[in-house]
């Protein structure tokens, strides 16, 4: 999907993914961890920045990236209004270079938003934006839909795509927004050093 497609969805307020709050699975994850390794986190496809602000509240240097200029503008405004610090930039996660390799990449409804034939590019992008030894935390949306976005996936597909490069640290079914209950699976991966 192009920048124009996503920008139009923001301009026309056609944003059913916008829940006005961070991913409940992320909120619970950050609340449950006393200390996490690393300092920097990249949230690609950050939308209006709820998840970025949650990482910032947890003490991370948090960076949000999105293809749609309006998403970045809303993220900046809402973060300022919340009195928090985070960086937001317009970027294409699939093709752009990171400013530096991150300690964490956090996925939440970007994988399901891109075209399925771009998923090889997505895996390569995670490897490009993440440090060797870094952590890839994903809230995966396990729906059957083929007429997205959102486009569905399965645990098997995720295992095939990521297990060649990452070791799985943990997996669990998270607390979810009401209309996604039981449809999400969190996978916490650690990138192999080589
Ligand atoms: C379904 S929305 C999810 C937004 C946010 N993660 C949330 O859950 O509220 C998908 C977001 O990914 C952005 N996006 C799509 N393709 C992208 C790409 N290649 N690089 C960066 N952002 C992208 C869209 O503009 C949109 O804001």
């Amino acid at each position: 999907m192009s920048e124009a497609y996503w920008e139009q969805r923001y301009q026309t307020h056609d944003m059913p993914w916008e829940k006005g709050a961070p991913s409940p699975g992320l909120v619970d994850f950050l609340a449950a961890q006393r200390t996490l390794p690393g300092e920097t986190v990249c949230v690609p496809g950050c939308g209006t920045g709820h998840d970025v602000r949650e990482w910032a509240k947890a003490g991370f240097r948090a960076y949000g990236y999105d293809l749609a200029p309006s998403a970045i503008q809303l993220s900046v405004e809402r973060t300022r209004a919340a009195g928090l610090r985070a960086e937001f930039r317009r970027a294409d996660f699939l093709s752009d270079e990171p400013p530096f390799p991150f300690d964490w990449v956090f996925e939440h409804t970007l994988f399901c938003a891109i075209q399925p034939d771009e998923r090889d590019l997505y895996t390569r992008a995670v490897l490009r934006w993440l440090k060797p030894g870094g952590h890839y935390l994903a809230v995966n949306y396990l729906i059957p839909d083929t007429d997205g976005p959102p486009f569905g996936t399965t645990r098997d597909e995720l295992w095939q795509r990521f297990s060649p490069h990452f070791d799985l640290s943990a997996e669990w079914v998270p607390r979810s927004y009401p209309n996604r209950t039981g449809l999400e699976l969190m996978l916490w991966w650690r990138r192999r050093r080589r």
Side-chain angles (χ1 to χ4, degrees):
M1 301 294 170
S2 66
E3 173 180 336
Y5 169 86
W6 288 107
E7 180 60 19
Q8 170 81 358
R9 298 218 32 184
Y10 283 93
Q11 294 279 341
T12 58
H13 304 285
D14 179 15
M15 301 147 61
W17 61 82
E18 170 58 43
K19 309 295 188 198
S23 159
L26 174 64
V27 173
D28 292 350
F29 174 79
L30 292 174
Q33 306 295 324
R34 277 181 156 265
T35 54
L36 284 170
E39 296 172 357
T40 59
V41 59
C42 164
V43 181
C46 64
T48 63
H50 298 293
D51 298 326
V52 180
R53 286 186 287 282
E54 201 62 23
W55 283 97
K57 280 191 222 165
F60 278 77
R61 283 169 50 209
Y63 292 70
Y65 296 91
D66 204 285
L67 205 48
S70 288
I72 296 302
Q73 190 184 334
L74 287 165
S75 290
V76 169
E77 289 169 5
R78 291 179 183 188
T79 302
R80 195 177 295 139
L84 292 167
R85 289 192 63 172
E87 298 286 329
F88 294 94
R89 296 275 183 277
R90 203 214 67 87
D92 185 337
F93 181 65
L94 301 183
S95 59
D96 287 342
E97 291 295 323
F100 55 84
F102 285 86
D103 296 316
W104 289 77
V105 170
F106 175 66
E107 152 67 39
H108 176 211
T109 55
L110 175 60
F111 186 86
C112 69
I114 63 170
Q115 296 280 359
D117 67 5
E118 293 180 315
R119 289 179 177 177
D120 287 348
L121 277 180
Y122 177 97
T123 308
R124 287 205 290 277
V126 176
L127 293 169
R128 193 167 66 250
W129 287 69
L130 189 62
K131 277 181 185 168
H135 299 267
Y136 171 55
L137 180 66
V139 183
N140 301 114
Y141 198 22
L142 303 189
I143 52 173
D145 306 40
T146 54
D147 59 346
F151 297 98
T153 188
T154 61
R155 187 190 181 283
D156 279 355
E157 181 192 358
L158 296 165
W159 180 261
Q160 281 174 25
R161 288 190 179 278
F162 294 102
S163 66
H165 312 284
F166 295 84
D167 294 316
L168 189 60
S169 302
E171 73 177 286
W172 65 99
V173 175
R175 184 170 64 86
S176 297
Y177 303 125
N179 70 334
R180 295 188 195 162
T181 298
L183 299 174
E184 292 184 317
L185 177 67
M186 287 187 73
L187 297 178
W188 180 6
W189 300 94
R190 180 132 197 230
R191 184 180 168 189
R192 293 199 191 102
R193 292 191 182 274
R194 60 190 181 87

